[in-house]
């Protein structure tokens, strides 16, 4: 496997970064997870825009243009002969000293990995997931905006561990007000009386690229959709629930904390959304 590292495609075994890199020492960096479908990079411009916003929010000055990063991503996909897969784009603050200050990191580092991904076992896409609500809360936006896709994922990792300790593959994370924010690596949607609802980024949701795609798909399907504050009560009383993410794609939820959600099987709106999603991912791509 070839990995793009600071301007070169190198063998994975040679793709090494310094132990003084602040991405490693402090989680000071940003990333994107991007999907390749049928030789196309899905919504590349949208991912790169979110990436630039994350960098700007962290005052991380990137010396590469969007076109250069885009080219590097396409080169990495080609070098690995991938037709379908997953790209991880990472920029770290770069090599510094043992102090926190980014001022002593002269140049950021960039790397791109293109590989395969299978987030959930296939049967869960048919039968649905049983998920749990976990104690670890989503980051308070006043501490660190949940819109920044940074290398600091510790509370999401704690939440993932808590889910696994309950035998679940994914978890609902509440914000510090007790409202539903999202899952550890996915956005959450419910269907209630024929309408789709999802929490806003103010409530702690990442502005997911697939989440955005669901807004477009809902319009195509003539299903009303809006951002709305949600509590667990809303999920208990939802007709349907599903999760979205680049890795997860669109996956139904049929149980929360041991309670059946909706009919206990993937619902009709989920099925329609999934069908259009399958078409959209083959169309909305950048050829490489
Ligand atoms: N929330 C979190 C915390 C995430 O890490 C992700 C990405 N895995 C998502 C939501 C979904 O975002 P996207 O659709 O852009 O993959």
């Amino acid at each position: 496997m070839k990995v793009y590292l600071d301007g070169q495609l190198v063998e994975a075994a040679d793709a090494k970064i310094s132990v003084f890199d602040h991405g490693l020492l402090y989680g000071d960096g940003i990333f994107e997870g991007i999907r390749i479908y049928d030789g196309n990079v899905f919504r590349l411009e949208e991912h790169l825009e979110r990436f630039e916003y994350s960098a700007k929010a962290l005052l991380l000055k990137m010396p590469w243009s969007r076109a250069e990063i885009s080219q590097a991503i396409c080169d990495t996909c080609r070098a690995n002969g991938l037709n379908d897969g997953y790209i991880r784009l990472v920029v770290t603050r770069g090599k510094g000293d043992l102090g926190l200050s980014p001022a002593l990191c002269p140049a950021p580092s960039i790397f791109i990995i293109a590989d395969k991904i299978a987030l959930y076992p296939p049967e869960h896409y048919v039968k649905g997931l049983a998920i749990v609500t976990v104690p670890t809360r989503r980051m308070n936006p006043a501490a660190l905006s949940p819109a920044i896709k940074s290398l600091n994922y510790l509370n999401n990792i704690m939440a993932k561990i808590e889910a696994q300790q309950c035998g679940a593959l994914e978890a609902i994370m509440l914000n510090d007000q007790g409202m539903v924010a999202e899952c550890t690596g996915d956005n959450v949607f419910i269907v209630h009386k024929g309408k789709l609802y999802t929490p806003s980024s103010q409530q702690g949701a990442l502005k997911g690229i697939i989440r955005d795609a669901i807004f477009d798909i809902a319009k195509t399907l003539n299903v009303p959709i809006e951002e709305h504050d949600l509590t667990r009560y809303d999920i208990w009383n939802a007709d349907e629930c599903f999760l979205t993410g680049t890795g997860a794609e669109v996956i139904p939820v049929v149980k929360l904390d041991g309670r059946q959600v909706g009919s206990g099987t993937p619902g009709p709106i989920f099925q329609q959304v999934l069908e259009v999603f399958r078409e959209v991912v083959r169309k909305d791509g950048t050829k490489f």
Side-chain angles (χ1 to χ4, degrees):
M1 184 204 294
K2 297 273 192 202
V3 172
Y4 180 93
L5 176 62
D6 291 328
Q8 283 180 338
L9 282 161
V10 297
E11 284 303 328
D14 300 321
K16 294 175 183 161
I17 60 157
S18 166
V19 292
F20 290 97
D21 192 301
H22 279 209
L24 177 61
L25 287 177
Y26 297 115
D28 187 355
I30 53 172
F31 77 101
E32 282 293 318
I34 309 168
R35 196 92 179 205
I36 315 161
Y37 289 101
D38 213 7
N40 293 308
V41 186
F42 183 62
R43 297 206 167 176
L44 181 56
E45 285 301 307
E46 289 84 343
H47 277 288
L48 292 178
E49 181 179 75
R50 183 173 69 183
F51 196 58
E52 287 164 6
Y53 289 157
S54 293
K56 203 167 176 188
L58 296 183
L59 296 167
L60 201 171
K61 224 171 163 31
M62 295 198 288
W64 317 280
S65 66
R66 188 185 291 192
E68 283 168 329
I69 297 180
S70 183
Q71 186 62 50
I73 288 173
C74 292
D75 290 348
T76 313
C77 292
R78 265 196 303 273
N80 287 288
L82 281 172
N83 203 45
D84 287 278
Y86 177 87
I87 300 156
R88 174 58 56 91
L89 164 66
V90 182
V91 165
T92 72
R93 188 77 67 175
K95 223 187 297 176
D97 69 4
L98 291 179
L100 271 180
S101 173
L104 295 174
C105 303
S109 247
I110 180 168
F111 59 89
I112 302 162
I113 308 167
D115 202 358
K116 295 270 174 211
I117 194 168
L119 216 58
Y120 298 113
E123 63 268 23
H124 294 292
Y125 289 85
V126 182
K127 287 193 301 191
L129 280 174
I131 64 172
V132 291
T133 313
V134 290
T136 296
R137 299 288 171 109
R138 187 73 172 120
M139 196 74 85
N140 181 327
L144 184 67
S145 168
I148 304 171
K149 211 162 156 58
S150 82
L151 297 182
N152 267 284
Y153 254 55
L154 269 183
N155 59 339
N156 293 46
I157 289 167
M158 292 308 297
K160 190 80 169 177
I161 292 170
E162 288 160 358
Q164 285 167 351
Q165 282 174 338
C166 296
L169 294 176
E170 185 50 295
I172 290 283
M173 295 182 78
L174 307 177
N175 64 20
D176 61 349
Q177 306 296 310
M179 308 296 290
V180 172
E182 59 176 352
C183 292
T184 67
D186 308 312
N187 291 113
V188 59
F189 286 82
I190 62 163
V191 177
H192 187 64
K193 296 192 175 176
K195 268 179 100 166
L196 274 161
Y197 300 94
T198 192
S200 67
S201 73
Q202 283 85 350
Q203 296 294 2
L206 181 81
K207 290 180 183 164
I209 302 298
I210 308 301
R211 179 184 181 274
D212 271 355
I214 301 297
F215 276 79
D216 298 339
I217 291 168
K219 281 189 196 98
T220 312
L221 290 171
N222 269 324
V223 175
I225 183 165
E226 62 176 81
E227 289 186 339
H228 206 282
D229 296 351
L230 298 179
T231 62
R232 288 201 309 152
Y233 170 91
D234 299 307
I235 302 181
W236 298 338
N237 287 300
D239 301 318
E240 300 180 36
C241 177
F242 60 85
L243 312 180
T244 66
T246 295
E249 304 184 298
V250 192
I251 186 160
V253 171
V254 292
K255 255 188 189 175
L256 174 64
D257 303 321
R259 290 178 183 233
Q260 180 175 310
V261 175
S263 66
T265 54
I269 295 198
F270 161 77
Q271 305 284 9
Q272 288 175 48
V273 166
L274 181 63
E275 202 173 302
V276 180
F277 177 77
R278 293 261 159 261
E279 288 164 20
V280 165
V281 295
R282 311 252 153 220
K283 283 193 311 215
D284 283 14
T286 304
K287 203 105 211 112
F288 58 82

